[in-house]
Amino acid sequence: MATREFAAHDAHVHAAPTSWIRKYVFSLDHKVIGIQYFFLALTAVFVGMFLSLLMRIHLIWPAAALPLLGEIKPETYLTLLTMHGTIMVFFVLTTAPQGGFGNYFLPIQIGAPDMAFPVLNMLSFWVTALAFVVMLSAFFVVGGAPLHGWTGYPPLSALPAAGPGEALGADLWVISIALFCLGALMSALNFITTTLDMRAKGMTLMRMPLTCWAWFITAILGLLAFGVLLSAGILLLLDRNAGTSFFVPLVTINGQLTGHRGGSPLLWQHLFWFFGHPEVYIAILPAMGLCSQLLSVFSRKPIFGYKAMVYAMLSIGFLGFMVWGHHMFMSGMSPYTAFAFSVMTMAIGVPSAIKTFNWLGTIWKGRIRFTSPMLFALGFVSLFISGGISGPFLAQPVLDIQLHDTYFVVGHFHLIMGVASIFGIFAATYYWFPKMFGRMMNEGMARWHFFITLIGTYAIFMPMHYLGMAAHLRRYSQLTELKYLHGLVPLQEFMTYAAFVTIAGQFLFLFNLFWSMKFGEKATDNPWEATTLEWTTATPPPHDNFGGHIPVVYNGPYEYSVPGAPRDFIMQTDPAILKAH
Amino acid sequence: MSEATLPHEMPSVYEPSLFGTYSKKIGMWLFLMSDSLTFGALLYAYSYGRISTPNWPTPFHSESIVNATIMTAFLLTSSLTMVLAVRASTEGNAKAQRLWLLATMACGMGFVLLHGREWSKLIAEGLTLPVFPKPPGGETASEFVNVSKTVPQFAATFFGLTGMHMLHVTLGVVYLGIVALRRYFIPILLVFWLAAWLGTPAYSPFHYGAHVLLLAAIVCSIILWLKPKVYDSSDVEVAGLYWHFVDLVWMFIFPLVYLMSAKIL
Ligand code: HEM
Ligand SMILES: [Cu+2]
């Protein structure tokens, strides 16, 4: 090795900006960037929710003429579900937990003044924001937004002539995804380096809060998965615009040869799901970490099996890269391959179950405080179980032949990926809002919001499993015209009404958020009596997080109800730990 | 904007880094990990196409192979000069460091020039993608015309893979240029852009490829504006990591794309 010596760490600190634009717009401060990501996701989630409402309306009243929008045509329905899925998966579930809360709290929880690469951090936000603008612009171009689903399967996605919205709209979709990949890669790299390099003295890896572990592992998944999606996106763009045929075999549209030949749609499926499966864990891992944190804080008990939690997350991340084939059982893969993917997939159930039992073990005999973040954390566990239990069914190739491409899958992933990680986001908002904005959120509204959302989402997504078993196909708009599904129309109507109520409940959240920013009760520095570092600093934290020094850490993150201690929690920075052995 | 830098004794406020090195280097390693998956996916697409296509053509003449061998030599040399640049930087020899960096860039540019010329030649002979503008003079009745017609995957994977690699080399040259000359490199970059754009006919790959340089100039200006810093030996080392990686990728592409499709096979 070279003989020169490096200071083990670069200078990560930057001076507080003075101009308005550098402070709030092009800020290098991870806290501002975190809030920017949060509001990006908040915008996105309301756009995505609006699209889903239109879908639900169309499903039960296909001929209804809506104000301004008119009648929703079948192809418009496909557009709606494509944009709904894409916006929700990328710009909400990937953006809010990691980019938003991860950005804000990872550095603080490990005791760092900022991310390892503040400039990169800012760029990753703005690239993501640009990606969102490009995605939305697809609605406004000739032909409208694409209709190939969030999974973008070719040949549909690769042929501009394949349908309305597949021309310029689909190009914008691919470009937006590629930009999103770049942003996600930059951010992943930053998260990993920060976790490796910028932990305060005493913050060993095994003293990190599980939230930090979750963000760290999520970042590793992102680093490895988004690079592959980027490649797939580039190839798709080439197919669409350069006349290549990576994904397109010899196909005709309306009897006309397309000029493509020799490609394979399966290649896209492999590349996409190699990204896609890790992506579902990118969406859920931060929520898992947060939930572990909250269950411990609000049960006033140490987390049950800290190490098991860490290893479970690591093995989920590792196995997550080996199961992508379970999305392709119907693609004609060899039964032996399907068997291998099936076994691997069910193996993921093991660490998932370990986590679930540890959560239950954590609240077992705890002195539970039913605050709003805790309610959402408990809701998360419930949804994770209900949504996860259908996974092992889908993982059977034989069953999947019936269930693939039906509402059963839609029910599965909405409960577990959609709603469970949204519950994680809500829990995080209620939990950290006091630290971020200096005031408490209104608890009464939060409770209403919780019960409406929990009951509402179950009412929407549970029936989907029955629809799926009755062979109701997903991504199909004219269900009222299918004889064999007539008996299920009342159920569909029920789901739509439930959607109305649930969506109305979300405006309560929105109102609470902005109302509490102005009128909420002033928050103390540690309103939840939690132990981690963000609660040791001022509210909201100063520019360098700890006001000119880097904290020193003495304890693990879950020292609750330690016998003999003066209070029922011991801060991580508390030097005098009194542990009765 | 001024940077408040921590004095070098300060690092003791943190836990020791897991890999005992500085953040930028870890960041670069992580980037290379994800980039190798990006290239891995492209190579996977290539092998997928190649295996699933009966009678994959092997049309490269010795001329192409010789050309690619010279390109390889350029890259290998550039790795050597890069090592020398890193050594000069650790010895604090700023002049030698700059010279070796410029030498590395020269090798990289030599690679890109030879490669672009090869592209033009292949396109003129008929190995082409529908999107490329037709060179004047019509197609010769070469084997390549036939290949493009019957196995479109051949041209697609060839241009896709080598194009992505060429992009990496070009951006690598820009990167080294910024490390060596900082903002003074931006005008040079713009001159290169204009020269390549205006100095070549519309059907040349350099003509439309040149805009990468413009884009790079814009991005670099933004980054330099955000972070106007003096680059030190650690930046040279990190840039070296990137450069060696791009060389390494070529060591996969050369045999897989060229040698395995040579005429003799
Ligand atoms: C042990 C746990 C799990 C198992 C065994 C499992 C299994 C499966 C299988 C086999 C499919 C493919 C169904 C088909 O398309 O026919 C599937 C789809 C899906 N799963 Fe899971 N899953 C599990 C957990 C999760 C988690 C934790 C998430 C997200 C956080 C998730 C999100 C999804 C999504 C988004 C899809 C559908 C993608 C699409 O086709 O649009 N799953 N799951
Ligand atoms: Cu999956």
Side-chain angles (χ1 to χ4, degrees):
Chain A
M1 269 308 296
T3 50
R4 88 206 109 131
E5 288 207 353
F6 278 107
H9 300 274
D10 303 332
H12 301 287
V13 180
H14 46 85
T18 43
S19 71
W20 184 83
I21 196 152
R22 290 304 297 272
K23 210 163 165 180
Y24 296 111
V25 185
F26 297 110
S27 173
L28 298 180
D29 183 342
H30 70 102
K31 296 185 286 301
V32 178
I33 297 173
I35 291 178
Q36 288 173 324
Y37 265 116
F38 176 76
F39 279 106
L40 177 69
L42 193 69
T43 315
V45 82
F46 274 85
V47 175
M49 206 169 66
F50 175 65
L51 301 177
S52 71
L53 184 66
L54 294 181
M55 282 191 283
R56 287 290 351 152
I57 291 176
H58 175 76
L59 280 173
I60 62 169
W61 301 301
L66 301 172
L68 291 180
L69 299 161
E71 191 186 330
I72 297 173
K73 291 182 290 232
E75 59 269 27
T76 319
Y77 177 79
L78 295 181
T79 294
L80 292 174
L81 73 85
T82 303
M83 296 301 275
H84 164 76
T86 314
I87 289 175
M88 289 299 198
V89 169
F90 290 97
F91 295 98
V92 180
L93 300 183
T94 314
T95 300
Q98 186 81 359
F101 294 107
N103 237 317
Y104 199 113
F105 287 103
L106 173 78
I108 308 189
Q109 285 198 333
I110 61 175
D114 204 321
M115 282 282 186
F117 309 113
V119 173
L120 202 65
N121 203 16
M122 184 194 96
L123 287 176
S124 63
F125 169 74
W126 283 105
V127 171
T128 311
L130 178 66
F132 186 56
V133 172
V134 173
M135 183 61 73
L136 287 188
S137 65
F139 278 117
F140 303 105
V141 297
V142 184
L147 36 72
H148 49 230
W150 83 278
T151 49
Y153 274 16
L156 186 53
S157 62
L159 301 172
E166 283 309 311
L168 187 52
D171 277 326
L172 291 171
W173 184 89
V174 187
I175 291 169
S176 167
I177 295 293
L179 286 171
F180 188 90
C181 290
L182 290 177
L185 286 172
M186 291 192 261
S187 133
L189 189 158
N190 216 342
F191 272 67
I192 301 174
T193 315
T194 307
T195 316
L196 288 177
D197 262 16
M198 297 187 62
R199 281 169 289 116
K201 263 258 159 334
M203 181 61 82
T204 56
L205 283 174
M206 281 304 179
R207 275 191 193 153
M208 287 202 304
L210 287 170
T211 38
C212 296
W213 269 109
W215 289 317
F216 177 56
I217 296 168
T218 304
I220 297 176
L221 295 191
L223 188 82
L224 302 177
F226 278 106
V228 172
L229 183 65
L230 181 63
S231 267
I234 291 172
L235 296 183
L236 190 59
L237 266 186
L238 289 178
D239 271 8
R240 298 179 49 81
N241 298 305
T244 59
S245 313
F246 289 100
F247 304 128
V248 196
L250 198 65
V251 282
T252 59
I253 297 180
N254 295 333
Q256 300 277 311
L257 272 178
T258 57
H260 290 276
R261 61 188 290 168
S264 164
L266 286 184
L267 173 61
W268 169 269
Q269 295 191 17
H270 279 294
L271 294 177
F272 183 84
W273 287 116
F274 184 83
F275 148 80
H277 189 83
E279 163 65 19
V280 307
Y281 286 103
I282 290 172
I284 199 97
L285 275 169
M288 289 179 168
L290 181 80
C291 178
S292 315
Q293 182 84 4
L294 296 190
L295 292 182
S296 170
V297 171
F298 293 109
S299 304
R300 314 310 290 167
K301 271 184 65 192
I303 186 84
F304 189 93
Y306 174 90
K307 279 195 180 155
M309 287 304 222
V310 173
Y311 294 130
M313 282 197 280
L314 284 169
S315 49
I316 285 177
F318 178 71
L319 288 171
F321 277 101
M322 299 201 247
V323 299
W324 77 92
H326 66 214
H327 297 273
M328 301 170 60
F329 286 146
M330 287 292 280
S331 67
M333 66 166 53
S334 137
Y336 299 106
T337 320
F339 177 73
F341 276 124
S342 169
V343 170
M344 281 310 217
T345 305
M346 282 185 290
I348 295 199
V350 176
S352 307
I354 291 178
K355 294 196 74 70
T356 310
F357 287 122
N358 284 356
W359 288 325
L360 300 181
T362 305
I363 52 179
W364 183 253
K365 291 192 171 162
R367 285 174 293 123
I368 301 180
R369 298 178 179 173
F370 286 102
T371 59
S372 48
M374 179 62 167
L375 289 178
F376 275 97
L378 291 171
F380 171 86
V381 177
S382 157
L383 286 157
F384 185 74
I385 297 172
S386 338
I389 216 97
S390 51
F393 291 89
L394 291 169
Q396 312 295 327
V398 187
L399 285 179
D400 192 56
I401 288 173
Q402 159 79 5
L403 298 174
H404 180 68
D405 255 344
T406 70
Y407 265 69
F408 193 90
V409 177
V410 182
H412 160 69
F413 75 75
H414 272 93
L415 278 186
I416 196 159
M417 168 149 150
V419 191
S421 32
I422 291 268
F423 266 52
I425 299 172
F426 284 140
T429 312
Y430 288 114
Y431 182 62
W432 277 317
F433 184 90
K435 187 52 70 179
M436 293 163 82
F437 299 103
R439 289 172 186 275
M440 308 297 286
M441 284 183 82
N442 182 293
E443 192 66 20
M445 281 193 262
R447 270 157 205 273
W448 273 101
H449 175 226
F450 169 73
F451 285 109
I452 293 174
T453 313
L454 184 78
I455 299 170
T457 46
Y458 266 117
I460 302 170
F461 297 113
M462 259 305 171
M464 289 191 177
H465 297 88
Y466 303 108
L467 291 184
M469 284 186 264
H472 189 316
L473 293 181
R474 74 191 272 208
R475 295 183 180 169
Y476 189 79
S477 81
Q478 302 300 78
L479 79 122
T480 44
E481 279 162 27
L482 288 179
K483 273 254 154 50
Y484 77 100
L485 292 175
H486 265 174
L488 291 170
V489 171
L491 196 56
Q492 289 276 13
E493 284 171 353
F494 169 74
M495 287 154 66
T496 298
Y497 297 134
F500 276 118
V501 176
T502 314
I503 288 176
Q506 305 320 305
F507 285 93
L508 191 61
F509 169 74
L510 197 65
F511 177 76
N512 193 355
L513 191 74
F514 289 107
W515 184 86
S516 304
M517 270 183 208
K518 263 221 118 49
F519 305 108
E521 197 188 313
K522 274 247 183 317
T524 54
D525 281 350
N526 189 2
W528 311 116
E529 304 187 313
T531 59
T532 43
L533 294 183
E534 76 269 34
W535 307 110
T536 62
T537 182
T539 301
H543 175 73
D544 66 352
N545 292 347
F546 296 97
H549 75 289
I550 304 278
V552 179
V553 173
Y554 298 96
N555 306 313
Y558 300 109
E559 301 293 348
Y560 291 100
S561 306
V562 179
R567 295 181 299 185
D568 78 342
F569 63 105
I570 299 173
M571 302 302 287
Q572 286 198 272
T573 47
D574 233 334
I577 176 162
L578 305 161
K579 226 178 186 164
H581 293 286
Chain B
M1 193 196 81
S2 73
E3 296 265 312
T5 32
L6 282 172
H8 275 275
E9 308 81 64
M10 285 286 279
S12 58
V13 297
Y14 295 116
E15 278 290 294
S17 165
L18 207 59
F19 296 105
T21 184
Y22 51 102
S23 301
K24 251 181 307 185
K25 193 161 160 188
I26 295 182
M28 180 52 83
W29 274 111
L30 292 172
F31 167 74
L32 296 183
M33 260 163 78
S34 91
D35 210 32
S36 54
L37 272 128
T38 305
F39 271 112
L42 292 181
L43 285 170
Y44 177 75
Y46 167 63
S47 9
Y48 197 107
R50 183 161 181 147
I51 290 169
S52 64
T53 307
N55 306 322
W56 187 261
T58 52
F60 285 126
H61 313 289
S62 53
E63 211 181 316
S64 281
I65 301 294
V66 169
N67 187 53
T69 311
I70 301 174
M71 281 156 56
T72 311
F74 264 109
L75 276 195
L76 285 174
T77 317
S78 78
S79 266
L80 178 68
T81 53
M82 190 70 230
V83 170
L84 293 171
V86 173
R87 199 175 73 179
S89 79
T90 57
E91 287 163 357
N93 187 343
K95 208 168 141 214
Q97 167 195 325
R98 181 166 302 164
L99 276 178
W100 286 124
L101 280 178
L102 292 175
T104 312
M105 290 161 65
C107 288
M109 281 192 301
F111 175 89
V112 173
L113 286 176
L114 282 179
H115 208 353
R117 212 189 51 164
E118 160 96 346
W119 271 37
S120 327
K121 222 175 74 237
L122 291 173
I123 294 171
E125 284 181 41
L127 186 73
T128 183
L129 296 180
V131 67
F132 290 154
K134 297 253 173 310
E139 284 154 7
T140 47
S142 102
E143 187 184 350
F144 285 120
V145 179
N146 193 26
V147 168
S148 293
K149 286 223 174 77
T150 53
V151 189
Q153 296 296 69
F154 187 86
T157 50
F158 173 80
F159 288 111
L161 263 175
T162 58
M164 185 73 163
H165 181 259
M166 216 189 322
L167 179 70
H168 273 73
V169 177
T170 311
L171 295 182
V173 171
V174 174
Y175 182 10
L176 295 182
I178 297 287
V179 171
L181 305 172
R182 289 184 292 137
R183 63 175 192 277
Y184 304 104
F185 188 64
I186 302 283
I188 303 179
L189 200 51
L190 291 174
V191 169
F192 271 114
W193 164 60
L194 278 177
W197 182 36
L198 301 177
T200 51
Y203 58 83
S204 158
F206 292 116
H207 183 77
Y208 39 87
H211 298 309
V212 170
L213 299 182
L214 177 64
L215 214 64
I218 295 172
V219 172
C220 290
S221 309
I222 295 177
I223 292 176
L224 286 173
W225 170 68
L226 288 169
K227 230 179 148 125
K229 56 175 277 191
V230 177
Y231 293 100
D232 59 21
S233 61
S234 67
D235 294 288
V236 179
E237 193 188 13
V238 170
L241 283 178
Y242 174 84
W243 190 261
H244 294 308
F245 171 77
V246 174
D247 285 4
L248 182 68
V249 172
W250 179 253
M251 299 310 149
F252 282 87
I253 293 183
F254 178 47
L256 288 174
V257 172
Y258 278 96
L259 295 184
M260 277 177 66
S261 296
K263 192 118 206 135
I264 30 163
L265 285 182

